[in-house]
Amino acid sequence: MNSSDDELGFETRAIHAGQAPDPTTGAVATPLYMTSTYVHSEPGVFAGYDYSRAGNPTRAAFEHCVANLEGARFGFALASGCLGVTTVMHLLEQGDHVVACDDMYGGTYRLFEDVFKKQGVDFSYIDLRDPSTLEAAMREETRMVWAETPTNPLMKLVDIERIAEIAHAGGARLMVDNTFMSPYFQRPLSLGADLVLHSTTKYINGHSDLIGGVVITDDEALAGRLDFLHKSIGGIQSVFDSYLCLRSLKTLAVRMRAHEANATAVARFLQDHSKVEWVAYPGLASHPQHELARRQTSGHGGMMSIGVKGGLDAARVLMANVRVFTLAESLGGVESLIEHPGLMTHASLSEERQREVGIAPGLLRLSVGIESEVDLIRDLDRALGKI
Ligand code: P1T
């Protein structure tokens, strides 16, 4: 079977792309190539790999497979999602300008404001839900538009196709952080994005047992530069973590379907609950961008935000009383998590910045896992009853 055949379905490619039986032993599962270096038959002559920072067969299998699932040829696996952000930002130079969504993972915002701004890159943060705001924010020096969709934590959506047109008309690249949707539900490159980033810590690995990232593109020139940055900065993903991510990709489709089914049930339950003020889940008809979600994604994933009545005090009671949901940062694992963005994942944003963006004291974020639906709903119902 030609595993790179684009005609094959997502599930088939997740299991076979980049994963032909091992040429030396015939092993069906891609082996862990735990080696830092490779033999040269004479200086500069080697069988494909010379040093594992530059390339490793286990990592290459994962990079090939995950890129294939995003409909691309080039993937670069990194030691964290933040290293993915860092590597992509090194495509830019002093004096360049980035337009980014105003709501995004707090760690990405911190990297922009406290690291790259100091190195001479300028940033504008805007509400990318309205493409006309991007038109107004573009400058002569704008080289990149940075979008999360859905955004973390407010679950705002960005019209990737429209934003890509505007970015390209202004001479900028569009980078989409696809962590929340995974390639199973959303493929930004097919909608015009130039680069895709995942924190593989989340759905790609899916079992909350590693930190990783990947940057993907189908643009040869960008890939050449990223390859250089990947091996020069050296933020590569370890062999073992690459092996785990590759293993996890095989079940990505079934996991994502299970996350979505549970999240849909949880969102419907919560939106009718008297202690819940609002629920932001793109799969609900009440989400203001539900139509865009239906057009742009093939499903709605496992992430949602809710506002509880009674603000921070009520949110604390809910967090203290869940038993199946775990109070923890991160998302995308098989277990359900709940967290308070204002006090946890987005605590690096000042209170003023949180207010501007809309991170309210009663805001909670749920990552709905793949446990029994009835247990999740009972858990939330019981904990909400304590408010
Ligand atoms: O944690 P790390 O693997 O470095 O990934 C950073 C990152 C990048 N992009 C998005 C959309 C993310 O959500 C994250 C990490 N987010 C969390 C840890 C969190 O709880 O939101």
Side-chain angles (χ1 to χ4, degrees):
M1 187 184 80
N2 179 358
S3 61
S4 63
D5 189 339
D6 288 341
E7 303 283 298
L8 296 172
F10 187 95
E11 288 84 348
T12 312
R13 288 181 286 125
I15 291 168
H16 295 289
Q19 300 164 78
D22 185 54
T24 50
T25 62
V28 169
T30 303
L32 274 158
Y33 280 91
M34 298 295 280
T35 184
S36 57
T37 194
Y38 307 80
V39 66
H40 291 221
S41 56
E42 56 181 273
V45 181
F46 46 86
Y49 296 93
D50 70 338
Y51 188 59
S52 275
R53 176 157 38 73
N56 172 281
T58 311
R59 197 175 81 225
F62 168 60
E63 291 170 337
H64 182 115
C65 186
V66 72
N68 180 295
L69 296 180
E70 284 284 1
R73 290 170 291 166
F74 312 106
F76 302 92
L78 295 131
S80 68
C82 282
L83 256 167
V85 177
T86 301
T87 304
V88 169
M89 287 307 295
H90 276 87
L91 293 167
L92 303 179
E93 289 175 8
Q94 212 174 7
D96 286 350
H97 173 241
V98 176
V99 182
C101 46
D102 56 2
D103 177 40
M104 63 164 77
Y105 172 55
T108 305
Y109 179 74
R110 183 174 56 194
L111 263 174
F112 287 177
E113 283 297 289
D114 295 343
V115 178
F116 290 100
K117 208 169 196 172
K118 291 187 176 136
Q119 294 178 12
V121 178
D122 200 9
F123 295 87
S124 301
Y125 302 98
I126 61 167
D127 188 342
L128 275 174
R129 280 180 300 187
D130 175 5
S132 68
T133 62
L134 176 58
E135 265 159 352
M138 295 289 291
R139 299 184 199 155
E140 191 137 316
E141 324 80 72
T142 309
R143 292 287 165 272
M144 193 169 293
V145 176
W146 190 286
E148 284 181 11
T149 181
T151 59
N152 181 358
L154 293 172
M155 306 299 293
K156 298 184 201 171
L157 304 186
V158 171
D159 183 337
I160 299 173
E161 214 162 6
R162 186 71 196 103
I163 293 292
E165 281 168 14
I166 299 168
H168 293 159
R173 304 281 198 179
L174 174 62
M175 151 75 220
V176 174
D177 185 330
N178 201 23
T179 298
F180 270 33
M181 281 288 110
S182 91
Y184 184 65
F185 284 135
Q186 177 169 270
R187 284 185 285 285
L189 300 176
S190 72
L191 298 168
D194 302 285
L195 293 151
V196 162
L197 169 84
H198 288 277
S199 165
T200 55
T201 315
K202 319 302 182 206
Y203 288 107
I204 300 256
N205 183 57
H207 294 75
S208 304
D209 52 8
L210 64 78
I211 300 286
V214 68
V215 176
I216 296 162
T217 186
D218 201 43
D219 179 311
E220 265 184 61
L222 276 178
R225 184 70 190 152
L226 284 168
D227 185 42
F228 171 81
L229 293 169
H230 192 218
K231 69 182 175 211
S232 302
I233 297 172
I236 52 157
Q237 185 161 52
S238 77
V239 176
F240 189 60
D241 288 354
S242 300
Y243 167 84
L244 287 175
C245 281
L246 180 64
R247 191 179 203 267
S248 293
L249 280 182
K250 295 174 200 285
T251 56
L252 180 64
V254 289
R255 284 187 286 111
M256 292 314 293
R257 290 196 287 264
H259 281 292
E260 183 184 37
N262 275 355
T264 302
V266 166
R268 286 188 184 141
F269 163 76
L270 289 173
Q271 82 170 347
D272 292 335
H273 200 285
S274 61
K275 304 274 173 64
V276 176
E277 205 163 314
W278 53 264
V279 178
Y281 179 64
L284 290 179
S286 59
H287 189 286
Q289 293 171 289
H290 180 60
E291 283 315 310
L292 173 60
R294 289 174 55 118
R295 193 168 78 235
Q296 179 161 278
T297 64
S298 58
H300 309 294
M303 296 302 298
M304 71 188 68
S305 286
I306 64 170
V308 288
K309 290 184 188 158
L312 182 57
D313 289 345
R316 281 192 191 278
V317 174
L318 177 54
M319 288 186 281
N321 282 287
V322 284
R323 296 283 175 269
V324 180
F325 276 81
T326 301
L327 176 62
E329 298 195 5
S330 202
L331 59 111
V334 290
E335 62 291 291
S336 293
L337 303 180
I338 187 167
E339 69 110 8
H340 188 276
L343 297 174
M344 295 168 71
T345 50
H346 293 67
S348 62
L349 276 63
S350 66
E351 272 180 32
E352 188 193 351
R353 180 73 194 149
Q354 289 191 11
R355 249 195 318 278
E356 278 167 18
V357 174
I359 299 178
L363 172 75
L364 290 167
R365 192 189 71 186
L366 274 57
S367 171
V368 180
I370 64 170
E371 303 95 332
S372 300
E373 174 192 311
V374 61
D375 293 336
L376 298 178
I377 290 177
R378 242 190 239 144
D379 191 41
L380 291 169
D381 196 25
R382 209 184 40 77
L384 282 164
K386 307 272 185 190
I387 294 176

